[in-house]
Amino acid sequence: MLTIIKNRMEQGCRTSRYPKTPITLNNRYRGMPKIHKNCPAALMKKCADLCPQEAIDAENALLDLGRCVFCGQCETLSKGDCIQFTQNFELGVARKEHLLTNGNLPRLADNAKKHFKKLFGRSLQLRQVSAAGCNACEADTNVLNTPFFDLARFGIQFVASPRHADGIHVTGPISKNMHAALMATYEAVPAPKVVIASGSCAISGGPFRGSPEVVGDLNSLIPVDLYIPGCPPHPLTTLHALLNYFK
Amino acid sequence: MDNLLKIANGERIKRSDIPSLPFHVFRQELLQFAVNGGQIVHYFAYEDAGVLMVLAIVRSDAALYAAAAEAPEAYHALTADCEKFHMFEREIAEQYGVRPYEHPWLKHVRYHANYRQREDVFGNDYRQDIPGNYDYFPVEGEAIHEVAVGPVHAGIIEPGHFRFQCIGEEVLHLEIQLGYQHRGVEKMLTAVPRKRLPVIVEGIAGDTAIGHSLCYAQAIESLGSLPVDEGASIVRAIALELERIANHIGDLGALSGDVAFNPPAAYFGRLRGEFLNLLLVLSGNRFGKGLVRPGGVAYTMGQEQRRILIDKIKETKLEIAHVCDLLFTAHTVQARFDHTGTVDRETAEKLGLVGYAGRASGIAYDARVSFPTECYAGLPASINNKTDGDVASRAAVRREEVEHSFLLIETLLAREVATESVLAGDCKLAPSSLVVTINEGWRGEVSHCLLTDAQGEILRYKIKDPSFHNWTGLAMALRHQGISDFPLCNKSFNLSYCGFDL
């Protein structure tokens, strides 16, 4: 008992005050890209050629947040002259077309479905489905339950049964072998229901796009309400997206 | 042994130097090697100019050997004589349609059509959903009941199916059916432009992004004659150890949660995040994605990063020691950990268990010692004191490894060697070559094996995650256990679904 109390005192209270108090991430974190439209076209083209995800539209100076894995190679190559990653982790979008960005995303809250706010604003229960996710997205979603993030204080919980859920949170490029289980889980959630695509894989297939063994795009199976980009999304990206879309 | 070619970890070998044996000699050599204590690193098939070959990479205590043979369409299973081959032979049957007859339990591994459009060995029609034409292993009797769990589990974890055959509360047999995560990784790696490879490799198992990307980068460096300087090696080794610490303490917390002792679960849950954040300080990503690239590292360690690492490790080391004391001295925890989910040494050796699962059963093998890469050659080894093969041992080994990783990181941080960041460029690979790379990822032996064709293109990319060996260990750990101990046993192994399913 004494050891428990000693540890409790040493640990203290670690829960973040976000969103009341802003959090600044380490300067190496790669979040919202800034795309310099006026950079030399040849250099932008070089960045696009180097990009392993083919996420850069050099001609229109746009970046596809749904494809990007934020590896930062374009930033290194162009020394930040074409593309620069900022520490802004607020990357969630409500419409697929918003994923293709020049670095200025529309406010997520403005694009949220209003009836979702009314229905789920005070209590949101989600069923997580990993459909061939690599366990990075899964692990960094799970982290929201640790004391630092403490997701439950916002009335948001991940539940065991789809029957108890208001929606599904999907990670992974959706392998053929998970297709049936994913659809069965979706069907089991009572309507009206929310669909969240989390991570580059669930949005676009991510690194696995094009493989004949994966579906590669959740939106091609069921209509997605909320997209959370990243590889994996930072837990704060997920938290920001959930709070702004539903609260 | 005369028919096997001795090779080194990461060494580029001309494919023509690999002994190509008549299949019956190949079979005999491998069996003899495995029965006398040798272990299998790889055993897989590949097609070369229309000829199907099988290649084996095996290891003794500190040496690797290679041998090949032309593959017959059907052959007498090696598994019939030695268990160590069981999963490898099932994989070959699934990938290339080669039938190993007298295999004691020939079933699919990941559930996909074979690469050669041959008749399916398992009689599956892949338009049907997994598990297709397969009835799970039945146990019959009046008091027997069956429990089916998954693929979608109760928590936020990857999918897989578990089928328990029980008598009352006691598990007689656990069958683990994976494959739900199959993304066709090995085939993709030979089909897509080379610039996509680093990010695919980092997604083989996201929790082992450093382990797998090291194997990939070292293989490309060997085939492409790319030098890596000491500064980059130091960053890589530090990242590998941070990955190990993050996962081990996360699992210790989860083990604590599974026996309903909540304080360490909460503390370790938060502390794990500190180490993911340190990976972010190094690489910009909490899983170290984007860090390791052929030729070095994409992000270097400057004074700022070094300072943050030193300070954070100093701060958390003591906290972790205290929470470990809390966990390991609690009687309620000991009562649940001790003698639960035991895999004895003999079984562990027969199955070729690796990593902490093997070490907890008394198999000392650590690739950092036997086949050191990067800067591991001059560093001290981790020593394990509790090796009874139960949950308590697997937990104790994790604790010892966390302490050891701290020592390694502190040693490496003291070496201030600068390096330049590299871009993932294209380089020419040596034609008609073979390379095997092995690293001790946090779960154990991670290995990649690459073969190039006459033009220097990658002909075959074989991946092995340690989970490929260890899932069977979990199934064995559940024999005669209460079914309620499954979560605890499962977490003590914490194996990768996607690393296995590829």
Side-chain angles (χ1 to χ4, degrees), chain B residues 34 65 195 267 274 292 343 346 409 488:
Chain B
Y65 301 89
K195 68 174 182 176
Y267 305 153
E274 301 281 10
V292 180
V343 180
E346 194 193 337
I409 294 176
L488 187 60

Side-chain angles (χ1 to χ4, degrees), chain B residues 5 8 32 109 170 221 242 340 370 393 417 457 498:
Chain B
L5 175 72
Q32 201 185 349
V109 180
E170 184 187 334
E221 284 149 11
L242 287 174
T340 304
S370 299
S393 301
V417 186
E457 295 296 328
C498 54

Side-chain angles (χ1 to χ4, degrees), chain A residues 11 49 71 127 132 134 140 175, chain B residues 153 180-181 195 206 270 299:
Chain A
Q11 292 294 323
D49 288 343
C71 68
R127 170 66 251 203
C134 77
D140 254 0
S175 53
Chain B
H153 299 282
Y180 294 89
Q181 295 278 70
K195 68 174 182 176
R270 196 267 307 171
Y299 300 95

